[in-house]
Amino acid sequence: MPKADVVIVGMGWTGSIAARELAAEGLRVVGLERGGFRDTASDFPAPNVLDELKYSLRGALFQDLSRDALTFRNSPNEAALPMRRLGAFLLGEGLGGAGVHWNGQHFRFLPADFQMLSHNKQRYGDGAITDDMTIQDWGVTYEDMEPHYDRFEYLCGTSGKAGNLRGEIQEGGNPFEGARAREYPTPPMEMGLVQQRFMEGARKLGLKPYPQPSSNLSQDYTNPDGAQMQACTYCGHCERFGCYNWSKASPLTTVLPVALRNPNFELRLGSRVTRVELTPDKKHATGVVYVDALGRETRQPADMVLLCAFQIHNVRLMLLSGIGTPYDPATGQGQVGRNFSYQTVATARAFFEKERFNQFAGAGALGAIVDEFNGDNFDHGPHGFIGGGYIIGQNTGLRPIEQRVLPADSPRWGMAWKQANNKWYDHNVNVGVHAGSTSRRQNYISLDPTYTDDLGLPLARMTFDFSPNDLRMRSFMLARAEEIARAMNPDIVNTSAPPVPASVVPYQTTHICGGAIMGTDPSNSAVNKRLQSWDVPNVFSIGASAFPQNAGYNPTNTVGALTYLSLQGIKEGYLKNPGRLIDM
């Protein structure tokens, strides 16, 4: 194909933002997306999109594992087996990527999250970092990220209440957040009965609940690019679904329409990239090779390659292409694949015999939060772990297949099971724990030596288990969630958590991170603080693959902010000295 200035692999949040920004600079940009075209009006009209069986259970918006899967194991001495059904996390496929089926939960990481290693050593001493941990600082600070967080929030129209405005604590917001330059673009969503009862229980315990930052918009909004969105109708079909009402910020509703109108940008769908082509010395990329929608192997030459696919796909492409040195857990050497991390979750469920909560009026990011136990907002010294997370009272809808929940001692089938469903449906509240994940030496991404995709390429192999630190943190957090649940005066409280050893069967979060992490030195990172490969400077790996470890919050806002941080470096640094490492 004719040479482009930039080729982008993957057209989710990161690729869409990159296409809009770089095409506006006058560069010829080609965007390659493995899936098909999507548009709100044609693909997600109501009531068709409110189909729980199609989208939630059968995963119409997710990656087709019959063609391209991944393998999983808990430790390096085990044989990995392929995933045949998405469970623990949900990989997207198609224009907009996972940004189409996300919930809209839109948090900023805490200032201490970006200095996790140095901050915890300074406060708790070297002994707080156990031998198996490989956590590290990001190479950027919250202050570096703040203007990029702000820009992404205003792109999305995020609804919320500032808790720290230019250093002054604000009533009603999160008192623990880093300082922000201005208020959220739109006010918080309307809190439902679930959130009201959660906040009452939290306040009884002396906690400071606040409304969850949400990109399910509370009111009509026009973003700085002129994209128009409408107020959320609380239909309860956000996660795993596209939004029929232009109310959930996604690449389709915010930034892609602008990119697609620019004649400098060309979108190619059905394009599965198989490798980045390098010069013989492996120090410069000349383009990418992909299989097009007709099954033809095609070469796209380009001066710059941006890997903007989902986390595990970015890492796999670097490994398949020979970009950087693969990580070896036995020696600790190599950077590509290192520091894979996830999220640590649990639930306290409160059941009320006589009280209903009308949870059909829900949204993906309709919640009330307490942050007293997130990051380093509390003294970890007596507890034997570092890190933390938020606790949430949330309802995302009351979809009857996926969101039926019964007390632990309920019958499992038959008439008695049906009667229990009738009794408890809409009579329970989820008090959820959403906590971070500390990277460790034996958790990593590699290429599987046995299993391949339908093109004959090795699958990505995930080696992961929860660290002792994360399990101690989870126990502590779950106990705090149970306290809040009991403060709501329910009839029954049950607690639950994902299995140990870690399993890819039950859904947990789609927040898989790391593998091509950022840093200040090639000895401890695969990319620099502008997400530029140390080894191949005209390749950038943008997304959650850059996280050195995961914080307690949902990652999308940080992914968006990192994209703008990287693009700032490209526009202000790289384009003036192409082919060289950015020094800014």
Side-chain angles (χ1 to χ4, degrees), residues 3-36:
K3 187 177 182 181
D5 296 313
V6 184
V7 61
I8 300 173
V9 181
M11 292 304 299
W13 271 121
T14 59
S16 299
I17 293 171
R20 180 257 182 268
E21 294 294 311
L22 296 179
E25 290 291 306
L27 301 176
R28 180 171 179 265
V29 180
V30 172
L32 302 176
E33 167 56 48
R34 62 160 47 190

Side-chain angles (χ1 to χ4, degrees), residues 196-209 352 370 483-490:
Q196 293 169 24
R197 291 297 306 277
F198 174 88
M199 290 190 286
E200 290 169 4
R203 288 179 181 129
K204 287 180 185 177
L205 301 174
L207 305 173
K208 299 179 177 65
F352 302 78
V370 294
E483 289 171 355
I484 296 173
R486 293 194 182 282
M488 297 165 65
N489 296 319

Side-chain angles (χ1 to χ4, degrees), residues 108 142 161-170 173-182:
R108 296 183 178 194
Y142 174 85
K161 177 70 184 77
N164 183 340
L165 202 53
R166 296 179 292 276
E168 294 189 9
I169 302 303
Q170 306 294 305
N174 179 9
F176 300 98
E177 71 174 350
R180 57 175 63 242
R182 53 180 172 169

Side-chain angles (χ1 to χ4, degrees), residues 59-72:
L61 302 181
F62 305 153
Q63 181 175 315
D64 182 358
L65 295 190
S66 70
R67 296 191 310 163
D68 182 11
L70 57 96
T71 66
F72 176 81

Side-chain angles (χ1 to χ4, degrees), residues 88 342-349 405 408 430-435 466 470-479 481-482 493-509:
Y342 191 29
Q343 206 95 59
T344 312
V345 299
T347 295
R349 179 77 59 169
V405 182
N430 172 37
V431 179
V433 168
H434 191 282
F466 294 108
D470 292 354
L471 294 177
R472 288 191 291 269
M473 173 182 63
R474 184 172 78 177
S475 295
F476 173 86
M477 295 289 299
L478 185 54
E482 184 176 0
V493 174
N494 290 162
T495 60
S496 63
V500 177
S503 168
V504 292
V505 175
Y507 183 74
Q508 293 157 63
T509 74

Side-chain angles (χ1 to χ4, degrees), residues 19-193:
R20 180 257 182 268
E21 294 294 311
L22 296 179
E25 290 291 306
L27 301 176
R28 180 171 179 265
V29 180
V30 172
L32 302 176
E33 167 56 48
R34 62 160 47 190
F37 185 77
R38 290 194 189 125
D39 177 71
T40 300
S42 57
D43 290 278
F44 307 128
N48 302 35
V49 74
L50 309 179
D51 185 336
E52 189 180 2
L53 191 61
K54 177 179 178 180
Y55 291 101
S56 186
L57 277 296
R58 293 177 178 163
L61 302 181
F62 305 153
Q63 181 175 315
D64 182 358
L65 295 190
S66 70
R67 296 191 310 163
D68 182 11
L70 57 96
T71 66
F72 176 81
R73 60 184 180 174
N74 290 124
S75 67
N77 61 2
E78 296 177 352
L81 294 174
M83 290 180 69
R84 298 303 189 192
R85 178 181 297 173
L86 288 172
F89 44 84
L90 306 174
L91 308 178
E93 187 168 290
L95 190 61
V100 174
H101 67 76
W102 76 310
N103 255 356
Q105 301 181 67
H106 205 129
F107 297 92
R108 296 183 178 194
F109 284 7
L110 295 164
D113 291 334
F114 294 99
Q115 282 83 42
M116 191 168 190
L117 179 61
S118 60
H119 174 90
N120 281 287
K121 277 190 172 183
Q122 181 178 11
R123 184 170 181 184
Y124 302 111
D126 291 348
I129 314 301
T130 57
D131 290 342
D132 70 324
M133 285 188 196
T134 54
I135 63 170
Q136 61 189 59
D137 294 351
W138 290 55
V140 295
T141 65
Y142 174 85
E143 289 71 26
D144 295 329
M145 294 286 286
E146 200 283 331
H148 306 297
Y149 274 133
D150 179 89
R151 187 169 182 191
F152 189 51
E153 288 162 0
Y154 273 76
L155 176 82
C156 294
T158 307
S159 300
K161 177 70 184 77
N164 183 340
L165 202 53
R166 296 179 292 276
E168 294 189 9
I169 302 303
Q170 306 294 305
E171 186 69 28
N174 179 9
F176 300 98
E177 71 174 350
R180 57 175 63 242
R182 53 180 172 169
E183 187 55 87
Y184 281 96
T186 54
M189 301 187 77
E190 294 290 336
M191 296 291 99
L193 185 56

Side-chain angles (χ1 to χ4, degrees), residues 345-378:
V345 299
T347 295
R349 179 77 59 169
F351 294 87
F352 302 78
E353 287 199 26
K354 297 181 180 179
E355 189 168 8
R356 293 192 62 177
F357 292 89
N358 295 331
Q359 292 181 81
F360 55 84
L366 177 60
I369 305 284
V370 294
D371 248 353
E372 274 82 351
F373 311 108
N374 207 341
D376 198 36
N377 293 342
F378 63 103

